[in-house]
Amino acid sequence: MLKLPRPALALLLACLCSGAAARELLVVGAHFERVFERRADGEFTGMGPDIVRMVARRNKDTVRFALYPWARAQAMVAQGLADVLVGPYKSPERLERMAFSRAAFYRDDMVFYTLAGAGAGWQGDYAALEGKSIVVMNGWTYGASFDAARPRLRVSVANNVENGVLMLTHKHVALFASNRRNTEPVLAALKLGGQVVALPQVIEVQDGYFAFPKRATHDAIRSRFDAAFELLAESGELKRLGQRYDVDIP
């Protein structure tokens, strides 16, 4: 039997362990402006893919990205059919179904949009919104206060931000609940600047995370991801990415 010197044996074992841990990760999400996007040439861009690629390089993993409707992307991770979900906010329901990264990587203000001059005012009292029609995004979470008030509100659902904006401009609803990061580019593209405005009172400040299947088979993947992400944050790379993509970070 071939006997290796102790240092060589240690190096070999380290390489074998590293190779066993490395794998291809299926990373899924929906179109989130500047956080998770797919260009016309098929390349994925945004703060989320950049972070995932940096983490994967550190961990010697490979990654494959896929874009799905938001509800389906969440279900794939909850069912273990994908490895990483980019960008979810936390909610009690999601915490039951998925395991979240230790740290968030971006931050959003959730606000109500309304037509300029409509006279809509809101100071955080949901009783004042009873009877008003509100459109929300399918699969999004708006915080505990909104969730508690939702059964008393007239709520309809849009599958994308543009549809929510158009429901507002066509006066099908009085308010559109969204975040500034996703909505402002749509308003600019539709040339609605000044016609649709955000109310100053914030619904909730939401932090966006990475999420993983809540299964023992993925515990090691999440731990390795957290460790590599922590190094990125400590190095200042997370802050630089936030500045590059004009995204707020926690």
Side-chain angles (χ1 to χ4, degrees):
M1 181 181 293
L2 177 64
K3 291 186 178 181
L4 295 173
R6 191 176 298 272
L9 180 60
L11 179 61
L12 176 61
L13 289 174
C15 291
L16 289 173
C17 290
S18 173
R23 54 168 291 176
E24 181 184 71
L25 303 177
L26 175 57
V27 181
V28 298
H31 177 93
F32 285 176
E33 192 76 23
R34 303 192 298 276
V35 168
F36 193 76
E37 300 183 72
R38 184 172 60 190
R39 298 195 311 236
D41 63 3
E43 179 73 9
F44 281 83
T45 185
M47 196 168 173
D50 280 7
I51 290 172
V52 169
R53 291 184 184 106
M54 291 176 185
V55 167
R57 280 197 295 270
R58 286 181 180 273
N59 290 336
K60 296 182 170 48
D61 292 325
T62 57
V63 293
R64 178 164 54 93
F65 296 101
L67 189 71
Y68 292 101
W70 185 229
R72 183 179 176 191
Q74 292 178 75
M76 288 180 68
V77 171
Q79 295 166 15
L81 301 177
D83 301 298
V84 185
L85 177 67
V86 176
Y89 308 143
K90 284 184 179 179
S91 71
E93 179 194 11
R94 290 175 182 174
L95 288 167
E96 286 291 324
R97 300 170 63 215
M98 296 179 284
F100 279 66
S101 55
R102 268 200 306 263
F105 72 97
Y106 73 99
R107 174 166 287 174
D108 279 331
D109 284 346
M110 311 300 291
V111 295
F112 285 119
Y113 284 87
T114 188
L115 294 178
W122 183 65
Q123 301 300 320
D125 180 10
Y126 284 99
L129 298 182
E130 292 183 19
K132 289 186 180 293
S133 52
I134 302 168
V135 61
V136 301
M137 289 294 297
N138 188 20
W140 287 23
T141 182
Y142 293 85
S145 296
F146 184 89
D147 288 345
R150 184 166 177 162
R152 307 191 306 273
L153 305 175
R154 290 175 54 199
V155 175
S156 55
V157 175
N159 287 321
N160 58 59
V161 172
E162 182 174 340
N163 285 348
V165 169
L166 292 176
M167 288 176 71
L168 182 63
T169 58
H170 292 156
K171 299 184 179 180
H172 297 313
V173 295
L175 297 168
F176 173 38
S178 189
N179 63 51
R180 299 178 190 275
R181 177 183 47 78
N182 276 295
T183 308
E184 296 299 329
V186 173
L187 295 179
L190 295 175
K191 296 180 171 52
L192 291 172
Q195 298 179 52
V196 175
V197 296
L199 297 183
Q201 177 68 40
V202 172
I203 299 171
E204 191 82 31
V205 176
Q206 296 275 44
D207 287 343
Y209 294 78
F210 295 98
F212 307 80
K214 199 171 187 178
R215 300 174 179 222
T217 53
H218 280 75
D219 286 349
I221 292 172
R222 177 165 46 86
S223 295
R224 293 169 66 240
F225 189 101
D226 281 339
F229 177 76
E230 186 176 334
L231 292 175
L232 288 178
E234 290 175 352
S235 71
E237 189 60 43
L238 181 62
K239 182 178 180 180
R240 287 190 287 272
L241 284 174
Q243 293 170 341
R244 174 184 173 188
Y245 285 105
D246 191 23
V247 170
D248 292 335
I249 63 171

